Amino acid sequence: YNFQMAVNDFQSARLKAGIQEVLARITGRSTQLLSYEEVSEKLKLRARTERGIQHIPVNAIVGSVGRYTDFTRNFLPRSDSDQERWSRVKAAFMESGASLPPIEVYKVGEAYFVVDGNHRVSIAREEGMTSIEARVIEFKTDIPLTPNIQPDDLIIKAEYADFLESTHINETRPNVDLSTTSCCQ
């Protein structure tokens, strides 16, 4: 396996990203990765806990810290300028016998955000890997966040975070879920 083969794989991934963008316009489902910064602000994330190295589901990685515009929701590269780096990482991955150094992620609810390792996640997805080794830092939240969240859902989640902050109902009634499914409820 060589660098040129990795370049061909990158070009194939870019083509898939373009097709997904077109399909997204038709279906109305976003191909955007979530911005950790936006999620953190809207859900008022504070307390963090180191969880160490563990295997996490690749399909639960839904966002990135700082690089959320560089990849699609499926971690396909959005820009041709990523070709050199993506291809180098892919070639190294294939030469190493398909092992990657652990990535670093933030965990919020059931969703993960890449701090370091966006290209490795992209390649893991392209290779059909179901899990990836990661150093996990978990942020506690009372707002349910699942891997299928769409960017527009963040508005609803932010409203719920504001509601919990003003009422403290999650402390007095911890087993009650009053979250809504549409905005301004």
Side-chain angles (χ1 to χ4, degrees):
Y1 200 88
N2 62 28
F3 183 76
Q4 188 54 50
M5 293 167 81
V7 167
N8 292 342
D9 290 346
F10 173 83
Q11 290 168 345
S12 173
R14 282 283 299 123
L15 180 62
K16 284 187 214 169
I19 292 168
Q20 282 184 1
E21 294 289 335
V22 171
L23 290 174
R25 288 189 189 112
I26 295 167
T27 63
R29 288 197 51 90
S30 175
T31 62
Q32 288 284 340
L33 271 180
L34 296 179
S35 159
Y36 169 77
E37 292 81 1
E38 185 179 356
V39 169
S40 176
E41 178 187 324
K42 288 189 188 282
L43 301 188
K44 300 167 180 31
L45 301 179
R46 290 180 189 85
R48 65 185 259 165
T49 307
E50 289 274 346
R51 297 290 182 206
I53 303 284
Q54 50 188 268
H55 282 273
I56 64 169
V58 173
N59 63 0
I61 304 171
V62 299
S64 181
V65 177
R67 307 267 327 251
Y68 61 93
T69 59
D70 295 356
F71 297 90
T72 67
R73 184 63 174 255
N74 292 326
F75 274 88
L76 293 169
R78 281 200 136 110
S79 169
D80 290 334
S81 65
D82 252 352
Q83 178 175 303
E84 174 81 17
R85 173 131 169 89
W86 195 98
S87 300
R88 274 190 287 114
V89 172
K90 172 77 184 248
F93 168 74
M94 297 306 285
E95 288 169 13
S96 72
S99 69
L100 296 167
I103 63 171
E104 184 173 331
V105 295
Y106 290 155
K107 180 180 184 189
V108 180
E110 298 171 39
Y112 296 88
F113 297 81
V114 179
V115 177
D116 180 50
N118 291 284
H119 291 86
R120 285 171 277 169
V121 172
S122 178
I123 290 157
R125 279 190 168 238
E126 279 300 285
E127 290 299 308
M129 294 172 63
T130 56
S131 69
I132 190 168
E133 197 172 45
R135 183 174 155 255
V136 178
I137 299 163
E138 184 172 11
F139 285 84
K140 183 166 175 16
T141 179
D142 293 319
I143 312 302
L145 197 67
T146 59
N148 61 355
I149 186 169
Q150 289 287 299
D152 292 345
D153 297 338
L154 278 181
I155 296 165
I156 298 165
K157 302 288 184 189
E159 288 176 348
Y160 191 49
D162 290 342
F163 172 74
L164 292 180
E165 188 174 65
S166 64
T167 65
H168 299 284
I169 197 161
N170 54 322
E171 295 162 15
T172 57
R173 300 271 190 251
N175 296 327
V176 175
D177 179 8
L178 296 174
S179 57
T180 61
T181 55
S182 61
C183 184
C184 309
Q185 297 283 315

